[in-house]
Amino acid sequence: MSSLTLPECPHYVAPPPTQLDLDFADLAIIDLSKAHTPEGRAELAPQLRDALRTNGFVYAINHGYTQAQRDRAFDIADVPFTAVGYYAGYKARQFWALDADNGILDQIEQYGLNRIVTQRPHPQALRPFLPELDAFVRHNHFNILHPILRLIALSLELPEETLVEKHNFDRPGQTSGLYIDIATSYRRTEEEEEKSKNVWLKGHTDVGSVTILWSQPVGGLQILSADGKWKWVRHIDNALVINTGDMMDFFTGGFYKPTIHRVAQPPEDQRVYDRLGSVYFTMADDDVKLLPLAHSPVLQRVGIERRCPDDEAPLSEVWRKGRSTTYGRSELKKGSEKDVEEEVIEGIVVKHYN
C-alpha cells in the first residue's frame, strides 16, 4: 500500500528513554536477517538457545520492519485508546485484581485483535487501518514467529518445521489463539503505588509459546534473574523483545522454561508518561495437545520435566481459555515459596510472583 493512500492517523510521539543508570538485564541480541539462509540459522540457533536458557528474554533486530513502519504501527496502536472506547476486544482499566488484600486494581487499558483481523467487528475509527493491521499481524507471524520457531526446533535437533506446523495462521476452525494486543498503562496515585510496592503487574509467565514485544521507551518491564533479583529491560529502537511462555515449556519438557516477568512503576524520570505497547502473543493451534517433543535428541539426553502425565496434557485451546479467563479474577492461594501465590488450571499449578 502506497504511503499516499494510507488513511490519516494522529502521530504518536514516543517519550524519551530513561537517562537513569538502572540495573538492566544483560540480554543477547540476535540478527533475524541471518535466519533467511541455512548457514545463518545454524549460527543463530545456539545463540537463541543460550539466551533463552540463561535469561529467558532476547532482543531481535533486523526483523524486516523499518523504523518508519514500526512508528506507523504505534500510531495505529494508539487509536483504540483515543477514539474507540468500549467494544469487543476492549478491556477497560480496573478489571484485574492485582492485590486483593489491599484492593489494588490494574490501570491497564487493552484492545486485542485476533490474528485474522476481520474475525470480529471493529469500531468505525479502527476500520480504515485493518489492511495495515493485517499486514502487521502477518509480518509478526510469518517473518518473526516462524523464524524463531525454526531456530528453536534446530536447537532441539529436530526438523525445522516441527514447531511451525503447530502454529498455523489460518487453520480451519481456529479461534483466537494468536492475536495482537495493544495496551496503555496509566499512571497511578501515590497511595496505590505505596500499597502495591510500585508493582503494576505482578510476576507471571505468559500463556502461549512465544511472546513478541515491540520495544517502547517507557521502562517498566522487569525479568526475574537467576539470582532472584528483578532486572529492568532496556529499550532499543526498533528492536523486538522475545520470550517463551507456558506452551513452549510443555513442548520442550522444561528445556525452555516460561520466563517470569512483571511490570513495575516506570523510572523516576519517566513517571509523567503513560506506556503504549504492542505485543504479539502466539499460541499453538487449538487442537494441538501440549505434549513434550520426546523424539528430540536433545531432550532425550538432558531429560524431560513434565508438568503433568502425557495422558492428562491439555489441548492448546483448553490451556489458553483456562489461563486467560482466570487471570486477575480468581482467588490465589499462598504458595510454599516466599512471595509466591498459586492457582490450579487443568490440574496444573500456575505460579504468580508477588
Side-chain angles (χ1 to χ4, degrees):
M1 183 181 291
S2 167
S3 61
L4 297 177
T5 64
L6 295 178
E8 292 187 5
C9 181
H11 179 56
Y12 171 73
V13 179
T18 182
Q19 298 302 306
L20 300 182
D21 184 19
L22 303 174
D23 187 12
F24 287 107
D26 184 17
L27 303 182
I29 302 174
I30 64 168
D31 184 349
L32 270 186
S33 68
K34 296 181 179 180
H36 298 306
T37 67
E39 296 79 13
R41 292 193 291 276
E43 176 186 343
L44 290 180
Q47 294 178 14
L48 181 64
R49 176 200 64 208
D50 294 345
L52 292 179
R53 282 176 59 80
T54 301
N55 289 308
F57 270 74
V58 64
Y59 294 110
I61 60 172
N62 297 329
H63 44 70
Y65 254 37
T66 64
Q67 183 71 46
Q69 287 174 302
R70 179 267 181 204
D71 291 347
R72 173 69 177 181
F74 270 74
D75 291 345
I76 298 172
D78 200 32
V79 170
F81 310 116
T82 57
V84 173
Y86 291 88
Y87 214 82
Y90 174 78
K91 185 200 81 68
R93 289 189 262 180
Q94 300 191 329
F95 182 76
W96 294 328
L98 302 183
D99 184 345
D101 293 339
N102 290 307
I104 302 298
L105 303 176
D106 77 281
Q107 292 293 344
I108 300 172
E109 194 176 20
Q110 286 181 307
Y111 189 80
L113 294 86
N114 302 98
R115 72 178 185 281
I116 306 296
V117 298
T118 55
Q119 185 167 318
R120 65 168 181 257
H122 296 287
Q124 182 61 47
L126 203 58
R127 291 174 197 168
F129 306 104
L130 289 181
E132 290 177 88
L133 286 168
D134 177 66
F136 183 60
V137 170
R138 290 175 183 273
H139 179 74
N140 276 270
H141 194 88
F142 293 109
N143 300 331
I144 301 170
L145 171 64
H146 279 186
I148 292 293
L149 292 177
R150 291 187 180 103
L151 295 177
I152 292 176
L154 286 174
S155 75
L156 298 172
E157 299 176 13
L158 291 170
E160 288 189 2
E161 302 301 304
T162 300
L163 287 165
V164 169
E165 292 169 352
K166 299 179 184 295
H167 297 77
N168 293 284
F169 187 82
D170 53 2
R171 187 179 181 89
Q174 170 71 21
T175 56
S176 57
L178 296 104
Y179 60 97
I180 193 76
D181 191 69
I182 43 188
T184 296
S185 300
Y186 295 95
R187 287 158 281 171
R188 304 194 306 193
T189 65
E190 290 184 11
E191 181 183 5
E192 287 177 318
E193 293 292 0
E194 183 178 354
K195 286 183 176 180
S196 66
K197 299 180 181 177
N198 307 116
V199 175
W200 284 16
L201 201 60
K202 67 178 61 177
H204 64 282
T205 60
D206 290 338
V207 179
S209 302
V210 173
T211 299
I212 301 166
L213 169 70
W214 290 74
S215 186
Q216 57 81 42
V218 180
L221 178 61
Q222 297 179 336
I223 65 172
L224 186 61
S225 63
D227 60 5
K229 296 180 180 179
W230 291 101
K231 295 183 179 291
W232 297 83
V233 175
R234 188 190 304 272
H235 168 64
I236 298 179
D237 283 340
N238 199 27
L240 307 171
V241 183
I242 293 174
N243 67 276
T244 48
D246 291 347
M247 292 187 185
M248 192 59 69
D249 184 39
F250 280 111
F251 288 138
T252 66
F255 190 78
Y256 291 118
K257 297 186 182 299
T259 312
I260 302 167
H261 56 287
R262 71 177 185 181
V263 179
Q265 183 185 31
E268 190 172 356
D269 61 346
Q270 292 186 312
R271 291 178 185 170
V272 297
Y273 304 112
D274 298 322
R275 298 176 76 246
L276 178 66
S278 182
V279 191
Y280 193 55
F281 292 104
T282 77
M283 306 182 198
D285 301 340
D286 276 358
D287 61 356
V288 170
K289 201 167 187 180
L290 301 179
L291 290 166
L293 299 166
H295 56 297
S296 160
V298 172
L299 299 189
Q300 290 174 3
R301 288 197 298 269
V302 302
I304 294 174
E305 298 176 11
R306 287 174 166 83
R307 298 184 69 171
C308 62
D310 286 356
D311 60 355
E312 297 177 11
L315 292 174
S316 172
E317 178 184 21
V318 173
W319 185 254
R320 169 174 57 81
K321 290 181 176 179
R323 281 218 56 193
S324 60
T325 57
T326 63
Y327 185 81
R329 309 293 288 176
S330 63
E331 182 179 350
L332 303 178
K333 306 295 184 182
K334 295 292 184 183
S336 57
E337 302 170 59
K338 183 182 178 181
D339 297 329
V340 174
E341 297 169 306
E342 298 177 350
E343 63 178 328
V344 178
I345 306 293
E346 294 299 311
I348 300 168
V349 174
V350 175
K351 297 180 180 182
H352 300 261
Y353 301 79
N354 194 359

